[in-house]
């Protein structure tokens, strides 16, 4: 199927110089922000106007972040994240992820909404150590740590908007990305989750 999305009203994320050095997947968060900026710039300039399979194939070769995305995944993320009944807590709780992943993603989400940017980053540094020290499966740790890296690097944006209204970076950084990740993870696994995070952030109205 062919899914067309017209995107507008973007605010570009700027990549901060310091990294979350204790997160082994920090580069994914850095690449996530860079990839989102590339897509945003293209849509703002009119270079890109849709998420057809052709454009998805192009971005898979252009952006630094490794993802798996097709138009069916895009449609599923858009339908979920932009739906009138979108509720991230319910989405996570009803997903097929392990209890460990669900609990950590919910904790990540709630802290992103209640903490200011610097406090949120401090929490993430501590939370990474906690995750690394658990006996959870390595695949589950990778899911959680990747989302923490995305959140950490996204929270370092200088500006953030939801539907044109200024918001705390935590609000912007996590909702669309987490929602898209969970949708993608359920459809076709981890790399679809990463791709879903990008799409989720775009269609939620942030970059």
């Amino acid at each position: 199927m062919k899914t067309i999305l017209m995107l507008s009203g973007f605010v570009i994320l700027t990549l901060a110089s310091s990294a979350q050095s204790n997160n082994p997947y920090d580069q994914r968060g850095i690449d996530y922000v860079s990839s989102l900026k590339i897509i945003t710039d293209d849509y703002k300039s009119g270079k890109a106007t849709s998420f057809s399979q052709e454009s998805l194939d192009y971005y898979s070769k252009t952006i630094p972040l490794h993802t798996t995305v097709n138009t069916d995944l895009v449609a599923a993320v858009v339908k979920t994240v932009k739906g009138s009944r979108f509720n991230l807590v319910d989405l996570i709780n009803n997903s097929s992820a392990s209890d460990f992943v669900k609990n950590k993603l919910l904790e990540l989400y709630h802290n992103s909404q209640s903490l200011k940017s610097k406090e949120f980053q401090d929490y993430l540094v501590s939370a990474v150590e906690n995750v690394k020290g658990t006996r959870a499966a390595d695949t589950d740790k990778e899911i959680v740590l990747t989302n923490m890296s995305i959140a950490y690097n996204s929270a370092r944006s200088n500006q953030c908007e939801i539907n044109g209204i200024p918001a705390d970076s935590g609000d912007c950084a996590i909702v669309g990305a987490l929602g898209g990740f969970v949708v993608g993870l359920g459809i076709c696994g981890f790399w679809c989750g990463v791709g879903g995070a990008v799409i989720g952030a775009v269609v939620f109205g942030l970059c």
Side-chain angles (χ1 to χ4, degrees), residues 2-195:
K2 185 175 181 180
T3 303
I4 303 296
L5 300 177
M6 299 301 294
L7 307 177
S8 60
F10 287 120
V11 177
I12 299 172
L13 281 175
T14 56
L15 185 61
S17 58
S18 60
Q20 189 183 17
S21 58
N22 70 327
N23 190 330
Y25 301 108
D26 185 62
Q27 188 61 47
R28 286 181 188 162
I30 294 171
D31 289 345
Y32 171 87
V33 172
S34 298
S35 299
L36 210 54
K37 183 179 186 301
I38 289 170
I39 296 172
T40 298
D41 286 349
D42 284 356
Y43 274 86
K44 287 189 68 176
S45 69
K47 181 179 178 180
T49 58
S50 71
F51 274 136
S52 64
Q53 191 59 54
E54 181 181 8
S55 67
L56 293 175
D57 291 342
Y58 167 78
Y59 284 116
S60 71
K61 301 174 184 177
T62 304
I63 63 175
L65 186 66
H66 176 75
T67 65
T68 298
V69 183
N70 57 39
T71 53
D72 288 339
L73 174 58
V74 172
V77 172
V78 173
K79 181 179 180 180
T80 300
V81 174
K82 296 297 284 184
S84 60
R85 297 183 179 181
F86 173 56
N87 182 303
L88 184 56
V89 172
D90 289 344
L91 180 65
I92 294 171
N93 278 327
N94 293 328
S95 73
S96 59
S98 70
D99 287 342
F100 174 80
V101 169
K102 288 179 183 180
N103 290 336
K104 291 301 180 183
L105 294 187
L106 287 170
E107 178 185 293
L108 174 60
Y109 164 64
H110 288 306
N111 278 290
S112 76
Q113 304 306 291
S114 63
L115 301 177
K116 297 298 183 181
S117 182
K118 181 61 169 63
E119 295 173 330
F120 182 49
Q121 290 169 340
D122 290 344
Y123 147 74
L124 285 169
V125 172
S126 175
V128 164
E129 291 303 316
N130 176 270
V131 170
K132 290 194 298 186
T134 67
R135 295 183 178 180
D138 289 342
T139 52
D140 285 351
K141 288 183 180 182
E142 184 174 7
I143 290 171
V144 174
L145 291 172
T146 295
N147 277 281
M148 287 181 172
S149 175
I150 288 172
Y152 183 89
N153 286 281
S154 297
R156 299 186 70 83
S157 66
N158 291 330
Q159 292 179 300
C160 207
E161 295 185 1
I162 296 178
N163 296 327
I165 302 173
D168 282 348
S169 57
D171 294 329
C172 283
I174 208 64
V175 178
L178 258 180
F181 188 96
V182 172
V183 171
L185 182 69
I187 291 176
C188 46
F190 178 79
W191 291 113
C192 286
V194 175

